[in-house]
Amino acid sequence: MPKGNIINRESFLTNIREKIGGIAADKPVQKPSWSVSPQRNVLAGYDREQLITVLKEQCQNIHTDFFQTDLSQLTSTIESVMEQYQSKTVVYSDDNRFDKANISNFLAQVDSFKWDRHDRDASVEFAERADIGITFSDITLAESGTVVLLNDKGQGRSVSLLPANYIAIIPKSTIVKRMTQATDYIHQQVVAGEDIASCINFITGPSNSADIEMNLVVGVHGPIKAAYIVVNDL
Amino acid sequence: MVTEEISMNEALEEIGCEVIETDLGEYILQLDDHDPPSHIVAPALHKNKEQIRDVFHEKLGYLKSEKPEELALFAREKLREEFLSADLGITGCNFAVAESGSFALVTNEGNARMVSALPKTQITVMGMERIVPGWEELDIVVSLLTRAAVGQKLTSYITALSGPKQLDEADGPEEFHLVIVDNGRSKILGTEFQEALHCIRCAACINVCPVYRHVGGHAYGSIYPGPIGAVLSPLLSDYDEYKELPYASSLCGACTEVCPVKIPLHEQLIMHRRKIVEDEKRSSLSERVTMRGFEQLMNSANLYRVATKMAPIMSTPFAKKQMITKGPGPLRHWTHARDFPKPENERFRDWFKNRVKRGEENAKR
Ligand code: SF4
């Protein structure tokens, strides 16, 4: 990762140190240890099946269509969602899970585009006119009905953003309780000195807005319709 | 929001840039000749859908109905062109994460995702207090924000960005700049108002405030309205500009009760009032003289006795049917707005003494 420049750092920090009572510049910051963490009790003891039920119910609150299928039926499920959303052109991320799940062949037969990490213009241009975008979920949060995409390399930020419809394929193994488990994972990456994805998206259903008279409008800048497909044997 | 606080749009327009707001509410306001926001989560709350339709019609030739769905779809199409052609994307920052140099944008519309995916250069403007130590804490503040602001477990999009795009990525900014804004915040550190810097801008205090609900956001004359605005605006600016705001509260404490980060908002408003009156001596001369007189009266048992004896007699010429409607001297300020009941002929202490006597008589009967 190229290093950035920091401008005015010392004067900025000196000012703050003085204001909060002259803390020495070389004194390491001690993070307090929190005495209560109620977030860790949410859905405590739930197994994966129970979490899937939570996820399914939450999908109703977030205007998202929920499907559950075995790997063998995944292609036909995708097909029927595409039909339901009247979608013909597909953009999907460059992710080897598409091969593993045996859906690359199906996608090659329709008007589709695999995100090209080396060709920004072509990728964005296709995503902009595609009817539907498809990605895999990296971590799935049952409580809020959220798919977490660690967008780097061939994932493409635009795949889940520009088309009017969106499908997230959710391997059952990615389902966790809530945001806490996802932030724990990312925190562990940081502690281990690994680079984290340059753009991490927590996506909860289609885009929406309540800016007009507090009326909920589903579909503003991002997708207007969204579907989650949980795959049992992935 | 912080970009409005520092009047960034005006500055950019001055040097010849075309600036487009991308939040639906902000976009509507910008089109309507820069109508100021009235709420920190729903900026165009003061407009109804017919007014929005008219703004779209007048400025962009919109011909459809006032249905929110149609209005939003129209804005989607218009703004899509802007996203795709903009040279520069500018975002605010809900929270920064120190341990990885990341920052999080919390939206429902997806505009922040557009701005951080499509333009080749990105600038993020962050208030200096919006920082948490690590991802563990990000979980907490994001969960608090989305629940307190809109009652959602999480909003549609929470996007955490860590610098520019990498070489093997196609979209995302090639260049990334983060600007951390002080603008009066460090002045608050180490003072009795420091807790106000904990604010996560959820607007819960604004939504429950009876004063805000009556007067609306514009009446505050600050981009931060409601209880938090009344606390923060005089701190970020000064009492010259905002000394009235701490009085825009009934001190009912509903704000303090709902605040997810437990800022003692109504107590801070009282602290402001105390500073304005005692330290800064900004109350009017007549108020100060009256208060001094009141102090003397209350501190002397003899004066108090005489004054309470005299009150019913002295007030008689001003009273009509037991109500004073045009009070003399300092009372005028009160009766200007509402009637003042004429003091009873029998003082409380006398009434209390007599009551005992009467009670005994009653008991004998
Ligand atoms: S003061 Fe508290 S309730 Fe008000 S906006 Fe800030 S965090 Fe929300």
Side-chain angles (χ1 to χ4, degrees):
Chain A
M1 200 182 276
K3 283 237 158 57
N5 304 313
I6 304 178
I7 300 164
N8 294 340
R9 177 187 196 150
E10 274 320 305
S11 57
F12 189 87
L13 292 179
T14 307
N15 176 37
I16 293 175
R17 276 187 210 110
E18 279 166 9
K19 291 280 165 34
I20 53 177
I23 291 174
D26 51 7
K27 195 176 154 222
V29 183
Q30 282 292 339
K31 196 173 106 173
S33 57
W34 315 118
S35 56
V36 282
S37 8
Q39 74 276 23
R40 301 202 177 273
N41 303 334
V42 176
L43 305 179
Y46 277 51
D47 64 21
R48 263 226 170 95
E49 294 306 329
Q50 288 169 305
L51 291 180
I52 291 177
T53 313
V54 173
L55 175 68
K56 185 175 173 183
E57 273 163 24
Q58 175 63 7
C59 278
Q60 292 172 2
N61 299 328
I62 57 168
H63 312 276
T64 298
D65 297 319
F66 177 92
F67 302 89
Q68 191 172 357
T69 176
D70 291 335
L71 199 45
S72 55
Q73 299 301 312
L74 180 55
T75 307
S76 60
T77 310
I78 293 175
E79 240 174 329
S80 73
V81 174
M82 284 177 59
E83 211 163 289
Q84 197 182 320
Y85 293 174
Q86 297 172 353
S87 298
K88 299 218 153 50
T89 45
V90 187
V91 61
Y92 62 103
S93 44
D94 175 7
D95 182 331
N96 60 18
R97 285 176 289 184
F98 281 94
D99 299 330
K100 283 201 196 130
N102 299 323
I103 40 183
S104 298
N105 291 342
F106 159 70
L107 290 171
Q109 285 156 25
V110 297
D111 182 7
S112 71
F113 184 89
K114 190 208 274 187
W115 186 259
D116 183 348
R117 65 181 81 177
H118 301 297
D119 193 342
R120 175 195 188 108
D121 292 346
S123 295
V124 169
E125 194 259 323
F126 195 95
E128 160 61 16
R129 66 184 171 83
D131 297 323
I132 198 162
I134 307 180
T135 74
F136 274 82
S137 169
D138 293 306
I139 309 170
T140 310
L141 318 181
E143 183 203 31
S144 52
T146 303
V147 294
V148 184
L149 310 186
L150 307 175
N151 283 139
D152 58 2
K153 302 191 176 75
Q155 300 282 349
R157 302 176 188 192
S158 303
V159 178
S160 55
L161 180 64
L162 294 180
N165 303 292
Y166 171 57
I167 296 177
I169 302 174
I170 300 177
K172 186 172 156 187
S173 57
T174 64
I175 300 176
V176 297
K177 294 173 191 129
R178 73 181 305 281
M179 189 170 178
T180 308
Q181 284 72 36
T183 51
D184 279 351
Y185 171 79
I186 300 161
H187 171 69
Q188 289 311 326
Q189 279 190 308
V190 176
V191 171
E194 293 166 27
D195 276 347
I196 59 172
S198 64
C199 176
I200 299 175
N201 269 310
F202 294 77
I203 299 178
T204 306
S207 67
N208 64 70
S209 171
D211 272 356
I212 300 176
E213 284 188 7
M214 304 303 266
N215 281 319
L216 185 79
V217 176
V218 178
V220 187
H221 297 308
I224 299 170
K225 286 185 184 145
Y228 292 169
I229 304 176
V230 172
V231 185
N232 293 324
D233 34 6
L234 269 183
Chain B
M1 212 176 324
V2 65
T3 57
E4 268 139 33
E5 180 191 318
I6 59 173
S7 305
M8 184 197 70
N9 288 10
E10 289 86 334
L12 287 172
E13 277 163 4
E14 233 159 74
I15 57 168
C17 299
E18 187 195 354
V19 186
I20 313 278
E21 290 284 354
T22 61
D23 173 82
L24 181 55
E26 299 277 5
Y27 179 62
I28 293 165
L29 296 181
Q30 188 186 37
L31 284 174
D32 195 16
D33 304 319
H34 303 272
D35 191 16
S38 61
H39 190 273
I40 60 174
V41 171
L45 191 59
H46 57 285
K47 286 205 179 335
N48 63 33
K49 50 187 188 291
E50 290 79 14
Q51 289 169 318
I52 296 168
R53 176 200 59 202
D54 294 345
V55 170
F56 280 6
H57 173 72
E58 193 184 314
K59 304 287 177 181
L60 301 170
Y62 174 75
L63 291 173
K64 289 197 174 151
S65 79
E66 70 287 344
K67 277 204 198 112
E69 288 75 17
E70 289 184 359
L71 291 166
L73 190 64
F74 178 74
R76 173 191 170 96
E77 283 159 9
K78 284 282 164 198
L79 282 168
R80 188 55 78 92
E81 295 162 23
E82 307 289 355
F83 287 125
L84 288 164
S85 62
D87 300 314
L88 182 70
I90 301 179
T91 75
C93 165
N94 289 96
F95 302 108
V97 184
E99 71 176 352
S100 60
S102 312
F103 61 93
L105 300 167
V106 179
T107 74
N108 267 319
E109 297 180 3
N111 51 326
R113 289 189 66 196
M114 291 284 182
V115 168
S116 59
L118 297 172
K120 293 208 171 152
T121 303
Q122 184 184 342
I123 299 177
T124 291
V125 185
M126 159 192 162
M128 61 172 258
E129 79 284 21
R130 320 251 98 247
I131 188 161
V132 296
W135 283 83
E136 194 185 354
E137 290 77 22
L138 181 71
D139 171 26
I140 306 296
V141 286
V142 165
S143 301
L144 288 176
L145 174 61
T146 56
R147 276 158 220 245
V150 281
Q152 290 168 296
K153 285 178 175 146
L154 290 181
T155 54
S156 292
Y157 300 122
I158 293 148
T159 305
L161 299 150
S162 310
K165 78 174 185 75
Q166 303 298 295
L167 286 175
D168 54 2
E169 279 179 90
D171 54 356
E174 282 160 22
E175 230 182 83
F176 172 76
H177 306 268
L178 175 67
V179 181
I180 303 179
V181 173
D182 182 329
N183 201 32
R185 286 165 174 76
S186 64
K187 274 194 317 206
I188 306 172
L189 284 174
T191 71
E192 66 264 55
F193 296 106
Q194 183 167 318
E195 283 169 293
L197 292 172
H198 297 174
C199 174
I200 55 173
R201 306 280 190 270
C202 71
C205 60
I206 299 175
N207 297 339
V208 297
C209 178
V211 175
Y212 175 90
R213 291 161 79 133
H214 275 279
V215 301
H218 286 162
Y220 290 79
S222 162
I223 65 146
Y224 301 116
I228 185 60
V231 168
L232 212 52
S233 307
L235 296 171
L236 295 179
S237 174
D238 54 28
Y239 286 135
D240 286 341
E241 208 168 339
Y242 292 118
K243 85 171 157 62
E244 272 78 35
L245 288 192
Y247 295 88
S249 168
S250 63
L251 301 181
C252 67
C255 47
T256 305
E257 209 167 287
V258 293
C259 177
V261 293
K262 293 197 162 41
I263 301 170
L265 288 156
H266 72 291
E267 285 165 26
Q268 297 212 334
L269 290 173
I270 299 173
M271 295 196 298
H272 267 311
R273 294 183 189 185
R274 193 201 61 73
K275 280 187 82 165
I276 290 167
V277 172
E278 289 184 8
D279 301 356
E280 304 250 333
K281 309 237 181 302
R282 281 171 188 261
S283 49
S284 68
L285 183 66
S286 70
E287 186 183 322
R288 264 178 284 153
V289 170
T290 309
M291 284 302 166
R292 186 133 347 112
F294 188 72
E295 186 185 4
Q296 278 170 0
L297 187 71
M298 286 299 168
N299 275 328
S300 153
N302 283 331
L303 265 181
Y304 182 81
R305 202 172 309 128
V306 172
T308 48
K309 276 232 164 81
M310 299 292 285
I313 303 162
M314 301 285 284
S315 61
T316 305
F318 302 100
K320 263 187 227 149
K321 294 185 193 156
Q322 294 302 303
M323 280 291 173
I324 301 171
T325 50
K326 282 200 181 100
L331 199 56
R332 202 181 54 229
H333 293 296
W334 176 280
T335 55
H336 188 64
R338 59 181 69 181
D339 296 347
F340 189 86
K342 182 184 179 302
E344 291 287 335
N345 288 329
E346 190 182 32
R347 303 180 309 161
F348 173 72
R349 283 159 185 254
D350 297 337
W351 172 83
F352 193 75
K353 256 189 248 152
N354 293 338
R355 180 189 145 274
V356 176
K357 271 191 224 149
R358 282 195 290 262
E360 280 168 1
E361 280 165 13
N362 285 346
K364 274 179 209 156
R365 240 192 273 150

